[in-house]
Amino acid sequence: MSCLQDNLKQAYLDGELAATVAALKSEDLRFDASQYLIDGANGKDTLSCHADTLIVLTHGAGANMQHDFMSVMAKGLSFSATVARFNFPYMRANAIDGKRRPPDRAPKLIADYALQLAILRLQFKPKKVYLVGKSMGGRMSAILAESLSVDGVICLGYPFIPLSGGEPRLEPIEKCTAPMMVIQGERDKFGHQGLVETWPVMNKVQLHWLTDGDHSFKPRKSSGTTLEANLGEAIALIKAFIKQSQ
């Protein structure tokens, strides 16, 4: 971990992340195109133009930014926004040596996320910024939005309850200061419809259910719908959420 990211990690732990990010200099925020996947609005030159709307799309714990789910979402959302993807540190390490690693702890993920967001903001100078995250990426987006100002957070398959059991991870939702939407498969093993709707905190977010979807939004063949249909519905919901907030 770089010294800069160490400083951001400590700033997050000390509750000073926003001030530390605001103090970053341009030399700290150099944009390396090889570290990102950028899908540009309306086919524009994605690396040089300013973006009216920037969507930062973050991956889940077990799949990187190139996963099919991420690619479908990025393509679907890029018709009306610039969509930026990056790998969290443990996935960047995996890309170098091929070794599978567990996700980094939340403070390290948040420090890296804050840095990537600052780099992308400087590069594209967007008027609006939305954080869209799959599973773990959605949880980190909600946590980051407690410290840094963004225009909205969208969680795709929020990991409410660890598979090993335990208390639901509701604190990031409780503390998120940005408008928030959660899109969840009806039978998501990390938080299914009959359970999630019983928590009062969910009244503060827009909550949408995808027909018979699992954690990846995939329905059973007997459901009468398809993964493609569920992904398309998720993309349409995100676009509507962004439109209504502008």
Side-chain angles (χ1 to χ4, degrees):
M1 194 174 186
S2 71
C3 180
L4 175 57
Q5 288 177 317
D6 279 336
N7 291 341
L8 288 169
K9 177 182 174 181
Q10 190 59 52
Y12 166 68
L13 293 171
D14 293 340
E16 299 176 352
L17 185 60
T20 303
V21 169
L24 293 174
K25 298 178 172 57
S26 58
E27 55 264 31
D28 297 322
L29 303 174
R30 292 191 179 93
F31 179 81
D32 180 354
S34 68
Q35 299 299 310
Y36 302 89
L37 290 175
I38 308 294
D39 292 88
N42 301 317
K44 293 180 181 178
D45 182 347
T46 57
L47 299 183
S48 63
C49 69
H50 292 179
D52 286 338
T53 301
L54 173 67
I55 294 174
V56 183
L57 179 61
T58 47
H59 63 76
N64 63 25
M65 66 177 176
Q66 296 174 314
H67 189 269
D68 287 347
F69 180 98
M70 299 288 288
S71 296
V72 170
M73 297 302 297
K75 182 178 180 181
L77 294 171
S78 66
F79 289 97
S80 54
T82 295
V83 184
R85 289 175 273 168
F86 67 91
N87 280 330
F88 284 112
Y90 72 101
M91 280 297 184
R92 295 202 291 270
N94 171 262
I96 294 172
D97 60 20
K99 295 180 180 179
R100 289 187 63 86
R101 295 170 171 80
D104 302 303
R105 306 283 289 197
K108 183 174 180 178
L109 294 174
I110 292 298
D112 187 71
Y113 200 166
L115 179 59
Q116 305 306 328
L117 178 57
I119 290 170
L120 291 166
R121 274 182 152 148
L122 181 63
Q123 175 68 20
F124 294 105
K125 299 176 174 59
K127 297 176 182 176
K128 299 280 187 177
V129 175
Y130 296 86
L131 307 182
V132 180
K134 176 69 180 83
S135 191
M136 180 197 76
R139 180 171 163 241
M140 293 304 112
S141 296
I143 293 172
L144 187 64
E146 180 188 346
S147 299
L148 302 183
S149 177
V150 296
D151 295 283
V153 172
I154 300 99
C155 302
L156 307 174
Y158 187 89
F160 286 101
I161 299 178
L163 294 184
S164 57
E167 293 298 314
R169 298 165 169 143
L170 300 179
E171 186 175 355
I173 296 174
E174 292 170 349
K175 293 186 175 181
C176 182
T177 59
M180 189 174 184
M181 179 168 70
V182 174
I183 303 174
Q184 199 86 352
E186 288 179 343
R187 56 188 182 89
D188 191 328
K189 59 188 176 182
F190 289 90
H192 58 81
Q193 186 171 15
L195 176 64
V196 172
E197 291 178 331
T198 67
W199 296 321
V201 70
M202 299 309 296
N203 292 328
K204 72 170 285 191
V205 310
Q206 291 189 31
L207 178 61
H208 297 278
W209 295 98
L210 299 180
T211 302
D212 200 55
D214 62 10
H215 192 54
S216 297
F217 299 163
K218 184 177 181 180
R220 292 166 292 192
K221 290 183 179 179
S222 60
S223 67
T225 190
T226 64
L227 174 61
E228 290 74 19
N230 277 349
L231 291 174
E233 183 176 352
I235 290 168
L237 286 167
I238 295 169
K239 288 180 177 179
F241 178 84
I242 291 174
K243 185 176 181 180
Q244 75 180 25
S245 66
Q246 292 181 334

